[in-house]
Structure formats: structure tokens, C-alpha cells
Amino acid sequence: KAGVTQTPRYLIKTRGQQVTLSCSPISGHRSVSWYQQTPGQGLQFLFEYFSETQRNKGNFPGRFSGRQFSNSRSEMNVSTLELGDSALYLCASSLGRVGNTEAFFGQGTRLTVV
Amino acid sequence: AQTVTQSQPEMSVQEAETVTLSCTYDTSESDYYLFWYKQPPSRQMILVIRQEAYKQQNATENRFSVNFQKAAKSFSLKISDSQLGDAAMYFCAYRETQGGSEKLVFGKGTKLTVNP
């Protein structure tokens, strides 16, 4: 069974540009969550999508957005990039059912903003 | 808001010895989940062990066990017979059971070094 796949693995962007990151969940998983990991702030929750609907959102500016497609694949978009957006972005997928607790993570996308 | 605190930024242990990583959390909920995740240099987060708050029995997974103290809001991880492959960042995480959200709240992590 294939794991969670994130693409690309590495990205270098310039301040002011926008970027789109992709996450393909494990087959059958309907929930996809996104996290930002930085040395200073640690792991912070961005948002979660379940069956194409945003179910929860973290405390990030509106420049961060996401969506989920009917096949559960999810994309995350960051517009008007700032230097502080440099981070490892992780996505996690799960069944999303009550009582089922395990989230599986991808290897992340390392975004560098210069 | 729920918070998770890991007070040990770094820990080290000799191979084959036992080490305990600390975690405390703050919540007003009575039912929730707690997790320990491992993140090796490959960056992929791997679930080590989980605990459901309504279960009084401490979870165990092979060499990994937890000491869950609900009243004290403490959730420590014990690694027995440490192996070189255990070297990684370890994150404690909290998830509420209400609302159907999969949101995890993480601590800042503990870097574990295993010395041969």
C-alpha cells in the first residue's frame, strides 16, 4: 500500500511569488491535514480537509489556502511568499472516522524563500 | 487552547539503556488522544505509540511504553533497550475527540541521541 506522497520534495522560490504544494493521501483516506514545521515555531497546524471540505483551520494568514479534490488529493497554496514562509511543510492523511486515530505523514516539502 | 510542553530539548542515552522523555499538556477536555511521534533525519513522522485518555492502562508497543498520568496531565515515553535506530526527534502530540477534527497539537520536540 503506497504511503502519503508529497510533491515536490524541495522548492526554492523568490519573495512575492506564489507556490503550490501537493499531497496524495493513502488510498481510502478522506482526511488530509497540513502542518508547517520551522525551527522556531515547531510544528503548527495549517488546516484539514475532509471530503473536499475544510474541517478545521489553524492560525495562519489568508495567504495560506488549500483545497481537496474528489480523489482526496490535496493542494496547499501560499501566495505572496515571505522569507518567514521558509519551512518544511508536512501533510498527514487518515481515514477521518471517529475513533480511528492514526495519521500517516508524508516526507514533506522543503520550501526555501529567498 | 490546548498546549503541549516538552521540557527536554535534548536527551542522550547509551545503547541498550533506558531513557524517559517527558511531556505535559493542558486541556479542559476529559476525553482526548495522546501520541508520541518519531521524526528521523529522513523527516518522515512515524507514530510510535498512542494513548486514549479514557483508558487507564498505559499503552505499550514493544520497547516503547508510556506513563500516562491524567490528573497531572503528564504523558512520558519510556524507551527500553535503546538502539542506534532510535536516534531521532520525538514529538508529543494531543488530539481532541470532539468535533471530528484530525488536528494534532505538537510539543516542540526532544532530540534523542543514542551513543554506541
Side-chain angles (χ1 to χ4, degrees), chain B residues 4-65:
Chain B
V4 177
T5 302
Q6 293 179 248
S7 59
Q8 307 151 316
E10 296 188 30
M11 292 282 284
S12 64
V13 63
Q14 291 296 127
E15 200 175 358
E17 297 292 304
T18 296
V19 65
T20 298
L21 308 184
S22 301
C23 172
T24 58
Y25 58 94
D26 187 27
T27 182
S28 58
E29 301 293 327
S30 59
D31 196 18
Y32 45 85
Y33 302 107
L34 295 166
F35 307 85
W36 278 98
Y37 278 90
K38 169 185 176 181
Q39 187 179 39
S42 67
R43 310 181 324 203
Q44 185 155 18
M45 300 280 278
I46 301 164
L47 178 65
V48 174
I49 198 165
R50 75 188 118 193
Q51 175 82 40
E52 295 169 69
Y54 71 87
K55 290 185 178 178
Q56 293 186 340
Q57 187 173 4
N58 289 324
T60 299
E61 287 285 345
N62 300 314
R63 299 182 296 107
F64 299 88
S65 62

Side-chain angles (χ1 to χ4, degrees), chain A residues 84-103:
Chain A
D85 297 332
S86 294
L88 178 67
Y89 291 88
L90 292 167
C91 87
S93 81
S94 65
L95 288 170
R97 289 203 295 257
V98 173
N100 187 290
T101 57
E102 187 161 3

Side-chain angles (χ1 to χ4, degrees), chain A residues 33-68:
Chain A
S33 298
W34 289 89
Y35 296 85
Q36 181 195 65
Q37 185 175 21
T38 60
Q41 298 299 316
L43 282 148
Q44 293 187 288
F45 173 79
L46 281 155
F47 30 63
E48 181 210 352
Y49 285 87
F50 179 79
S51 293
E52 301 179 65
T53 300
Q54 188 179 83
R55 188 155 70 170
N56 203 344
K57 188 178 189 301
N59 188 25
F60 278 82
R63 300 185 296 107
F64 291 81
S65 62
R67 58 178 176 168
Q68 187 179 35

